[in-house]
Amino acid sequence: GKAALGAEVGVLLCDVGDAASLAAMARQTRLVLNCVGPYRFFGEPVVAACVENGANCIDISGEPQFLEEMYLKYHEKAAEKGVYIIGSCGFDTIPGDMGVLYTRDMLKGTLTAVESFLKVTSGPEGACVHDGTWKSAVYGLADQDNLRKLRKKIGYAPVPVIGAKLKKRGFLFYNREFKEYSIPFMGADVSVVKRSQRYLYTELQETPVQYSAYVNIGSLGSAIKLMFAGFLFLLLVKFSFGRKLLTKYPEFFSAGYFTKKGPTQKQMDGTSFTITFFGEGYSEGQDPQNGKPNVKICTEVKGPEPGYVATPIAMVQAAVTLLEDAACLPKQGGVYSPGAAFSKTKLIDRLNKCGVEFSVISKPEV
């Protein structure tokens, strides 16, 4: 049932270590979809070639340091060239970033805060992820200090807190809505949503939304096992020998969740995700700078297996959107997050038609 490539589609060989091959590739296309990670090691040469040679570029990175470093280094040059570089267009973080915007658009009033809860469900075969994602996490967490320095260098404009301040939850807490335990989500979603909200506030004068992301992990027993594994992981990433161990034996240190082979077809077929968004804000005519929030909304984004089914759907639909909704993109080229690039486009409509579904679970009630 897979579509066959037409005879007119060629294969170009290029290498991130060979700038000339990347330049030749970028000159022959309007848009490059870059799937080669960890991006901290392999991503920048592709971005540089695209900016230099006038090709747009989309990637599926969930690595905040790479994403924000590309903004620092290439945003102005990409703007001059009229080129769009849009990172994190996979499961990290199209569902989260666009989910916040969808929640905002579905609320009649002013949305000021959102909490999201991710739940991944797997079938009898279980679920697993290729160790490329594991490596990204290992090196990303090891380099947190440099991420902080990078953000100081960028000098982000502060974003005001509108409405009641969103309270942070603990590291582990019992979630009454789902009747299971939850922990903060360690993916790139929060950093990417912040970048989108900063852009929408500073460039379009839209009310910024506060955001926190969590993941549901099940029973107390599951939570204790995960906490132990997480403690060991955080300890080992601090040392070079620990990082070598983690990257050499991902299956052992992740209890089989990350493997060098990646998931089987049966595992992918039996796995799905749901992200539930709880939003609060102020009804129409109510000043969000005064008083408590008086309106709530619950929305949901659900889809197939996140890493290998939902991610290519998100990436390809982001690419189609960039090409077909060009008039709705930011006026200038540059390095953007998905929410900043696609907030005025039909991306959510396209995703809905392709199996990543956005819906309202409960409508706002004052």
Side-chain angles (χ1 to χ4, degrees):
K2 291 180 182 174
L5 286 175
E8 76 283 357
V9 177
V11 175
L12 297 175
L13 293 179
C14 52
D15 188 322
V16 292
D18 179 356
S21 73
L22 292 175
M25 175 268 296
R27 281 195 293 268
Q28 295 180 62
T29 184
R30 289 170 61 196
L31 174 60
V32 173
L33 276 65
N34 181 16
C35 309
V36 183
Y39 289 88
R40 67 168 53 240
F41 301 129
F42 306 121
E44 184 172 355
V46 180
V47 172
C50 287
V51 171
E52 200 58 48
N53 295 281
N56 302 301
C57 183
I58 278 177
D59 69 47
I60 49 173
S61 171
E63 303 163 50
Q65 189 171 345
F66 166 76
L67 296 164
E68 295 177 44
E69 191 169 5
M70 293 307 95
Y71 173 80
L72 177 65
K73 288 186 176 180
Y74 295 99
H75 180 67
E76 287 179 12
K77 198 167 186 183
E80 283 170 25
K81 294 261 189 176
V83 164
Y84 293 90
I85 308 294
I86 307 170
S88 58
C89 287
F91 177 72
D92 265 12
T93 57
I94 292 263
D97 204 8
M98 299 307 294
V100 170
L101 297 183
Y102 175 80
T103 307
R104 179 198 69 179
D105 293 345
M106 292 298 107
L107 184 82
K108 286 181 180 174
T110 306
L111 183 73
T112 56
V114 172
E115 289 183 317
S116 71
F117 294 87
L118 166 65
K119 179 69 177 177
V120 177
T121 307
S122 56
E125 298 279 326
C128 80
V129 182
H130 192 272
D131 77 324
T133 303
W134 175 259
K135 285 176 185 168
S136 297
V138 169
Y139 293 111
L141 281 167
D143 215 17
Q144 285 290 308
D145 286 347
N146 283 329
L147 177 58
R148 282 188 277 272
K149 287 174 189 170
L150 174 67
R151 286 173 174 166
K152 275 188 180 176
K153 207 171 178 181
I154 292 170
Y156 286 124
V159 178
V161 172
I162 305 293
K165 189 169 183 180
L166 183 62
K167 290 177 183 173
K168 296 280 182 193
R169 309 252 195 162
F171 179 74
L172 173 70
F173 60 93
Y174 184 71
N175 192 319
R176 294 182 188 281
E177 288 91 352
F178 297 97
K179 296 183 171 59
E180 58 181 306
Y181 284 86
S182 303
I183 59 171
F185 180 52
M186 301 299 283
D189 291 44
V190 171
S191 66
V192 173
V193 169
K194 273 185 182 173
R195 286 174 56 218
S196 293
Q197 293 300 320
R198 180 179 287 108
Y199 169 83
L200 295 170
Y201 171 71
T202 56
E203 299 297 323
L204 304 181
Q205 289 73 54
E206 294 179 2
T207 302
V209 179
Q210 303 167 68
Y211 177 62
S212 293
Y214 303 95
V215 57
N216 296 340
I217 54 171
S219 67
L220 184 58
S222 301
I224 290 167
K225 281 183 200 169
L226 193 67
M227 283 177 74
F228 177 75
F231 175 76
L232 185 62
F233 182 88
L234 291 170
L235 185 68
L236 289 172
V237 294
K238 291 179 181 178
F239 308 100
S240 60
F241 81 91
R243 293 191 289 277
K244 281 179 187 171
L245 281 174
L246 288 167
T247 52
K248 194 172 182 181
Y249 304 107
E251 208 161 339
F252 174 78
F253 286 104
S254 69
Y257 193 70
F258 291 92
T259 72
K260 291 185 182 290
K261 290 180 182 176
T264 64
Q265 188 61 51
K266 277 188 176 178
Q267 284 178 317
M268 288 191 283
D269 291 344
T271 305
S272 62
F273 78 88
T274 304
I275 306 179
T276 307
F277 298 83
F278 294 99
E280 65 176 26
Y282 296 77
S283 57
E284 290 171 324
Q286 184 87 5
D287 181 2
Q289 298 287 40
N290 288 312
K292 291 181 179 178
N294 69 334
V295 66
K296 291 185 177 183
I297 185 171
C298 177
T299 63
E300 185 178 86
V301 179
K302 63 180 181 180
E305 189 279 334
Y308 305 92
V309 186
T311 284
I313 291 170
M315 188 186 213
V316 170
Q317 294 312 311
V320 171
T321 301
L322 190 152
L323 294 172
E324 294 193 358
D325 296 358
C328 305
L329 297 174
K331 287 176 185 175
Q332 274 192 312
V335 178
Y336 292 102
S337 59
F342 299 126
S343 70
K344 308 302 178 192
T345 68
K346 294 179 181 174
L347 175 57
I348 289 174
D349 294 340
R350 290 191 173 93
L351 291 168
N352 272 324
K353 289 172 187 170
C354 294
V356 177
E357 299 169 11
F358 293 68
S359 60
V360 175
I361 301 304
S362 64
K363 290 191 177 178
E365 294 175 5
V366 178

